[in-house]
Amino acid sequence: MREKKSRFLSVIQPAETQEQAKVALEKIRGQYPGANHHCWAWRLGDPPLERSSDDGEPAGTAGLPMLQVLRGGQVSDLLAVVVRWFGGVKLGKGGLVRAYGDATRLALELLPTDRRVPTSLLRVELPYGHLGTIKRWVHPPAVQLVSESYGEAVSLVLAVHDHHRHAFEESLASLGLEACLDGDG
């Protein structure tokens, strides 16, 4: 992307940890050593750990706008870097905010993403009489049946989104049942 003779290049890399993000950032800096700025933002984990850097641009004109784009895209586990080669014409604070935000937005629009939701695998042992009730509570993707086995009692392994887990466990308790984390997941 070009803006008033300055050239902007966006790079988005997967990163699940700060160490991975730092290594990726240094690699990008090494690939473009002649650039004037290597501004960046990352969101890691859930809830996301967020950091950004203006790398010499006026405070709040590069890293923060990039971070806001990542927040708006509801993405995590990635590093966004915008590399700038100064073209001799100052953009002003508003122009920098727009340029860094737009560069990040354009790269994010091209990025294939996967939706991941924190999930727990729960094992529930239950008598046959409760099987129909529990199976009616299975509503993918919030609660999914992973496996089932039948013997003297029924054993179910369910993948439950973490934000539904407490309510699901309360519903089990109302039947006199409890779930334990499944160690096989």
Side-chain angles (χ1 to χ4, degrees):
M1 176 180 121
R2 290 190 185 276
E3 184 71 30
K4 294 186 180 178
K5 298 186 181 181
S6 283
R7 192 165 55 116
F8 296 84
L9 172 71
S10 287
V11 179
I12 296 182
Q13 297 272 308
E16 293 182 8
T17 66
Q18 290 186 66
E19 293 73 31
Q20 288 177 353
K22 289 175 183 178
V23 167
L25 177 59
E26 289 310 312
K27 182 177 177 185
I28 293 166
R29 282 186 172 137
Q31 289 175 318
Y32 305 103
N36 300 93
H37 303 281
H38 300 86
C39 302
W40 56 267
W42 72 48
R43 294 185 85 220
L44 310 171
D46 183 38
L49 170 66
E50 301 177 331
R51 290 205 49 210
S52 64
S53 171
D54 296 313
D55 191 37
E57 294 285 22
T61 62
L64 184 57
M66 295 169 62
L67 184 57
Q68 290 171 333
V69 170
L70 299 181
R71 285 177 186 152
Q74 298 179 336
V75 294
S76 188
D77 295 334
L78 54 78
L79 163 72
V81 180
V82 176
V83 181
R84 179 185 182 200
W85 290 268
F86 180 61
V89 178
K90 292 188 177 187
L91 302 180
K93 287 184 177 184
L96 289 170
V97 168
R98 278 189 302 281
Y100 281 100
D102 288 349
T104 305
R105 191 172 298 102
L106 289 170
L108 196 56
E109 287 173 359
L110 299 173
L111 183 71
T113 58
D114 290 327
R115 179 150 171 79
R116 294 186 294 172
V117 178
T119 302
S120 297
L121 288 180
L122 302 178
R123 181 174 298 279
V124 182
E125 304 289 330
L126 58 130
Y128 281 88
H130 289 309
L131 181 60
T133 301
I134 303 301
K135 281 202 168 182
R136 282 191 293 277
W137 295 348
V138 174
H139 293 286
V143 179
Q144 296 184 44
L145 180 63
V146 175
S147 68
E148 53 192 323
S149 60
Y150 299 90
E152 287 185 33
V154 179
S155 178
L156 301 178
V157 176
L158 302 162
V160 180
H161 286 185
D162 286 350
H163 62 277
H164 292 290
R165 183 174 166 190
H166 181 71
F168 185 79
E169 289 177 327
E170 283 183 346
S171 296
L172 286 173
S174 73
L175 297 175
L177 302 171
E178 65 180 70
C180 61
L181 287 174
D182 185 56
D184 298 332

